[in-house]
Every structure is written in structure tokens, then in C-alpha cells.
């Protein structure tokens, strides 16, 4: 597993717990999406170049990607592609809907997902800094 983290801006968070849940969920999805033995995940935290009052977090992976026709479903509760034929276990499909709820409704932010099958996925989150705390000096 190779993880490349770039922190280009630092923030003092009012309450880090929900944001950490978001980060953990996206990171876990990246790990679970990798089908080979070489996992590469990139995380960048920076000020948005278009709006310096916004924290931009970008997560990239080299996983299996998401079929284009499935992208519209990833924010629906109960939707999951994580099914084990060996055990019969299926994920509940609650992670990304909760992520979207936290980002959009609690932080007034936005999420963008770009994905290519067999190449990977990029999740970009933009959150107004005032919604999460303040920029550290």
C-alpha cells in the first residue's frame, strides 16, 4: 500500500469527528476498490484555487473504478457493489450517502466523483472553511 498525503493548507477544526468519518469512509472505499496487490492512494488538502475561502480535499486511487452507469447510484442508501460470493456478506451501502449528507447539509460543501473503470477514482470535496473552523496560520 502506498499512500501519498500532501497538506498544502492547515485548518483548525471546530469538531473533527464528522470530517474524520468522511475521510475514513472515502479512504476505506479506495482500499476496498483495489483488486491487485499494488494499492496507491493520494490525498491532497489545500485551498481551492478558484475560491480561497474553501478547503479542497482530493482523494485518488488506482482501484477498479466505477462503471459510468453506476455513478448516479453511489449516493443512494442501500446501493452497494461490495458483495462476497464466498461469504454471502454484502455492505449496507450507507457510507457514501452519509458522506454526502455531512458534506452537503452540515458543511454546505460539494462532492465531485470522477471514475474510470480499471484505472481508478478521484473524489473531490470542497467545503467552505467557515463551516469546519478556520484556517491555521
Amino acid at each position: 500500500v502506498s499512500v501519498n498525503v500532501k497538506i498544502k493548507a492547515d485548518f483548525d477544526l471546530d469538531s473533527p469527528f464528522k470530517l474524520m468519518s468522511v475521510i475514513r469512509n472515502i479512504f476505506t472505499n479506495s482500499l476496498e476498490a483495489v483488486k491487485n496487490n499494488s494499492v496507491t492512494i493520494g490525498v491532497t488538502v489545500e485551498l481551492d484555487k478558484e475560491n480561497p475561502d474553501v478547503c479542497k480535499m482530493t482523494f485518488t486511487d488506482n482501484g477498479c473504478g466505477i462503471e459510468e452507469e453506476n455513478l448516479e447510484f453511489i449516493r443512494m442508501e442501500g446501493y452497494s457493489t461490495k458483495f462476497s460470493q464466498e461469504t454471502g456478506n454484502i455492505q449496507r451501502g450507507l457510507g457514501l450517502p452519509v458522506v454526502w449528507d455531512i458534506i452537503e447539509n452540515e458543511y454546505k460543501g460539494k462532492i465531485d466523483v470522477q471514475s474510470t473503470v480499471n484505472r481508478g477514482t478521484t473524489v473531490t470535496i470542497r467545503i467552505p472553511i467557515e463551516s469546519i473552523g478556520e484556517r491555521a496560520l
Side-chain angles (χ1 to χ4, degrees), residues 32-104:
E32 292 174 346
V34 176
K35 301 296 184 195
N36 57 38
N37 291 331
S38 179
V39 179
T40 303
I41 300 173
V43 181
T44 303
V45 178
E46 62 190 337
L47 294 177
D48 190 344
K49 290 179 177 76
E50 296 175 17
N51 185 349
D53 293 328
V54 170
C55 170
K56 178 181 169 186
M57 293 183 286
T58 307
F59 302 82
T60 59
D61 67 54
N62 66 333
C64 60
I66 304 166
E67 301 273 346
E68 188 173 340
E69 60 268 13
N70 291 337
L71 281 172
E72 66 182 281
F73 301 114
I74 63 174
R75 62 184 295 169
M76 291 175 50
E77 283 186 24
Y79 177 78
S80 179
T81 60
K82 298 174 188 171
F83 173 73
S84 170
Q85 291 187 358
E86 293 174 10
T87 64
N89 290 335
I90 187 167
Q91 297 292 325
R92 291 174 192 86
L94 297 176
L96 284 177
V98 170
V99 165
W100 246 282
D101 181 57
I102 291 169
I103 296 301
E104 290 184 343

